[in-house]
């Protein structure tokens, strides 16, 4: 994209503000109150990407490796992840989710989807069509 017009800059500002507010409201819909947003994020990454080393998780979650080590220890203590020897490098471990963690994520997603669907029911058909059409581009932005 080249230089943005004033209208584009205003749209970017409105998008940023809207996405941040919606994300904040969505975070309050989680099921397991004892898990921090960071812990939920790690579980979500494991669900999306599969098992990973602590270093890989730290990179994906944009935290320092020592912080990720602490997060993994807390999740392991809660029975939500397990550490197993790395299949090729015995100096490392691989972290994977437990069935309990998957159940928490599934229920959290179900609850958040229901909340968002209820919220979306307040939109007009035209507004909903616009949101539905924008969903793939928003997904791409979130994963760049």
């Amino acid at each position: 994209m080249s230089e943005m017009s004033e209208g584009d800059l205003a749209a970017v500002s409105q998008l940023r503000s809207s996405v941040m507010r919606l994300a904040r409201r969505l975070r309050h819909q989680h099921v397991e109150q004892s898990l921090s947003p960071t812990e939920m994020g790690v579980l979500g990454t494991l669900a999306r990407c599969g098992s990973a080393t602590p270093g890989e998780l730290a990179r994906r979650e944009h935290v320092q490796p020592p912080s990720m080590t602490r997060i993994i220890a807390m999740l392991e203590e809660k029975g939500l992840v397990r550490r197993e020897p790395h299949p090729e490098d015995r100096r490392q471990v691989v972290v994977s989710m437990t069935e309990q963690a998957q159940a928490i994520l599934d229920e959290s997603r179900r609850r958040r989807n229901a909340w968002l669907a209820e919220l979306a029911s307040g939109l007009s058909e035209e507004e909903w069509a616009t949101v539905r059409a924008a969903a793939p581009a928003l997904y791409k932005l979130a994963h760049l």
Side-chain angles (χ1 to χ4, degrees), residues 3-76:
E3 192 173 325
M4 291 190 163
S5 69
E6 281 188 41
D8 287 340
L9 290 172
V12 165
S13 180
Q14 186 177 25
L15 176 64
R16 176 198 45 77
S17 174
S18 302
V19 167
M20 288 178 67
R21 180 167 168 74
L22 189 57
R24 219 175 9 258
R25 292 179 68 193
L26 271 167
R27 272 194 300 275
H28 291 294
Q29 302 302 314
H30 66 87
V31 173
E32 184 53 55
Q33 299 297 323
S34 68
L35 295 177
S36 71
T38 302
E39 290 170 322
M40 287 294 286
V42 170
L43 293 178
T45 295
L46 288 170
R48 270 190 319 283
C49 303
S51 299
T53 66
E56 291 167 340
L57 285 171
R59 279 189 297 284
R60 288 181 181 148
E61 292 297 306
H62 306 287
V63 299
Q64 293 298 314
S67 296
M68 183 55 65
T69 299
R70 285 190 296 278
I71 294 165
I72 291 167
M74 287 186 290
L75 289 170
E76 188 175 36

Side-chain angles (χ1 to χ4, degrees), residues 70-122:
R70 285 190 296 278
I71 294 165
I72 291 167
M74 287 186 290
L75 289 170
E76 188 175 36
E77 188 175 298
K78 294 174 184 179
L80 301 176
V81 299
R82 67 180 145 269
R83 298 180 215 219
E84 298 164 340
H86 192 285
E88 298 158 10
D89 184 351
R90 292 293 176 187
R91 297 170 295 171
Q92 293 201 50
V93 296
V94 174
V95 179
S96 57
M97 281 189 349
T98 64
E99 288 179 15
Q100 180 184 355
Q102 187 62 58
I104 288 170
L105 282 179
D106 290 346
E107 179 58 22
S108 180
R109 287 178 181 146
R110 187 204 60 74
R111 180 182 279 184
R112 290 175 187 198
N113 285 346
W115 177 83
L116 196 51
E118 177 65 28
L119 200 62
S121 72

